[in-house]
């Protein structure tokens, strides 16, 4: 399954937010979108999902205009995890996940043994089976994010669009979730995520789209895209980019902090 965005531009009123965005995400690919706050990442997702439809250019799913897909068809292909999610009712975690299976069911039928097993195994895969009977509104923000991830998995859509999936997670869960996301891509999913962490983006992504002020600054494999200049362009921060483990990892070290550090703090 592929998502292609071609010359997509979008404005809120007369304020241009997205300016001729182009990229393709294919199956077995984890594409990470990196860019400062307010640069248009969520807006881009909302355009791709057809939640904002008055854009110029194209957003295509396997060559088809996504705006022409019905809601049900869309849910069969694309699962979306937004940045924030506030349910109005305190469903149990298990029911929240089970709701993700409804797209597989015909009208008026309810989830059965197969769907319940799917929900259990998704909770297990993400290490949150112990939360199963808890109320969704009574768990932490990070735990909720993991539940939404489980719900996206049981939807069995082959394209995942994830808006900052690790934003509220502790370091261990960030790595666990990114590892799961990466392994889903290897299994054949097409995954597009937004992120604010350059080091993790380098480590986990197959492709990176760097954007600022609604424009694409760079697009390509992390080893080609990542540079000190790019980080400076994106965030206005001077970094030293340290390459580790035969360039399997690159770590951004803010120069100003190192240069200003006292001998005591840095134990030298
Ligand atoms: N409904 C709206 N009406 C008008 N402007 C909006 C609306 N939603 C977002 N914006 C503006 O559009 C721009 C892009 O917002 P968007 O949420 O897409 O950025 P983002 O890159 O996802 O940011 P972040 O990393 O902080 O989540 C911002 O300047 C934002 O203030």
């Amino acid at each position: 399954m592929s998502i292609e965005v071609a010359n997509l531009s979008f404005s809120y009123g007369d304020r241009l937010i997205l300016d001729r965005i182009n990229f393709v995400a294919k199956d077995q690919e984890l594409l990470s979108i990196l860019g400062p706050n307010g640069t248009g990442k969520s807006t881009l997702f909302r355009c791709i999902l057809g939640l904002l439809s008055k854009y110029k250019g194209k957003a295509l799913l396997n060559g088809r205009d996504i705006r022409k897909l019905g809601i049900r068809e869309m849910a069969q292909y694309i699962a979306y995890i937004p940045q924030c999610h506030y349910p109005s009712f305190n469903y149990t975690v298990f029911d929240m996940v089970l709701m993700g299976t409804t797209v597989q069911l015909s009208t008026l039928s309810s989830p059965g043994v197969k769907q319940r097993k799917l929900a259990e195994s998704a909770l297990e895969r993400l290490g949150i089976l112990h939360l199963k009977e808890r109320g969704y509104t009574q768990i932490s923000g990070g735990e909720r994010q993991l539940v939404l991830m489980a719900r996206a998995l049981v939807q069995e859509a082959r394209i995942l669009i994830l808006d900052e999936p690790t934003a509220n997670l502790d370091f261990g869960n960030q790595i666990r979730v990114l590892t799961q996301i990466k392994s889903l891509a290897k299994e054949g999913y097409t995954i597009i995520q937004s992120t604010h962490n350059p080091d993790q983006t380098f480590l986990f992504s197959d492709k990176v789209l760097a954007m600022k002020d609604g424009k694409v600054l760079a697009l390509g494999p992390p080893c080609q895209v990542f540079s000190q200049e790019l980080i400076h362009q994106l965030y206005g921060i001077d970094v030293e980019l340290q390459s580790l483990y035969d360039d399997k990892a690159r770590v951004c070290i803010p120069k100003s902090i190192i240069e200003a550090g006292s001998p005591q703090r840095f134990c030298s």
Side-chain angles (χ1 to χ4, degrees), residues 12 15 17 36-43 83 164 196:
Y12 278 119
R15 190 163 159 240
I17 304 291
N37 291 127
T39 214
K41 303 178 294 297
S42 301
T43 306
Q83 244 178 57
E164 296 182 35
H196 284 302

Side-chain angles (χ1 to χ4, degrees), residues 28-214:
Q28 297 198 316
E29 227 168 50
L30 168 53
L31 170 79
S32 296
I33 303 184
L34 195 63
N37 291 127
T39 214
K41 303 178 294 297
S42 301
T43 306
L44 177 59
F45 288 165
R46 292 169 67 77
C47 289
I48 294 172
L49 293 158
L51 301 171
L52 296 169
S53 57
K54 291 184 178 164
Y55 55 80
K56 290 186 193 147
K58 290 178 188 164
L60 306 170
L61 187 152
N62 283 350
R64 289 174 66 193
D65 185 341
I66 297 181
R67 285 177 288 198
K68 295 199 174 131
L69 299 179
I71 291 175
R72 199 175 172 82
E73 201 177 5
M74 174 91 98
Q76 279 165 354
Y77 293 124
I78 305 180
Y80 169 55
I81 303 187
Q83 244 178 57
C84 311
H85 181 253
Y86 305 104
S88 47
F89 185 78
N90 188 23
Y91 294 103
T92 64
V93 162
F94 188 69
D95 284 343
M96 274 301 291
V97 175
L98 206 55
M99 277 179 228
T101 65
T102 51
V103 66
Q104 306 159 7
L105 303 169
S106 54
T107 323
L108 297 182
S109 60
S110 50
V113 176
K114 183 187 165 207
Q115 285 75 27
R116 300 181 76 81
K117 276 194 180 151
L118 260 180
E120 287 230 354
S121 68
L123 287 168
E124 196 163 13
R125 183 169 188 171
L126 293 165
I128 48 167
L129 191 54
H130 60 284
L131 298 177
K132 187 178 162 186
E133 302 303 337
R134 297 269 299 277
Y136 180 76
T137 60
Q138 290 160 338
I139 57 176
S140 77
E143 289 169 337
R144 273 205 288 275
Q145 227 155 346
L146 291 165
V147 173
L148 292 180
M149 190 74 201
R151 191 170 73 160
L153 289 185
V154 302
Q155 196 177 317
E156 294 190 319
R158 299 303 281 178
I159 297 170
L160 302 181
I161 296 187
L162 313 171
D163 203 346
E164 296 182 35
T166 57
N168 293 315
L169 302 181
D170 67 48
F171 181 69
N173 278 334
Q174 285 177 33
I175 301 302
R176 276 178 215 110
V177 165
L178 286 168
T179 305
Q180 290 293 347
I181 291 173
K182 178 98 183 150
S183 80
L184 288 168
K186 281 208 176 113
E187 284 169 32
Y189 283 75
T190 306
I191 306 179
I192 306 174
Q193 67 163 354
S194 63
T195 168
H196 284 302
N197 187 319
D199 299 356
Q200 290 179 358
T201 302
F202 187 88
L203 206 51
F204 286 95
S205 313
D206 299 301
K207 217 192 257 180
V208 178
L209 179 111
M211 63 185 278
K212 186 167 186 197
D213 299 331

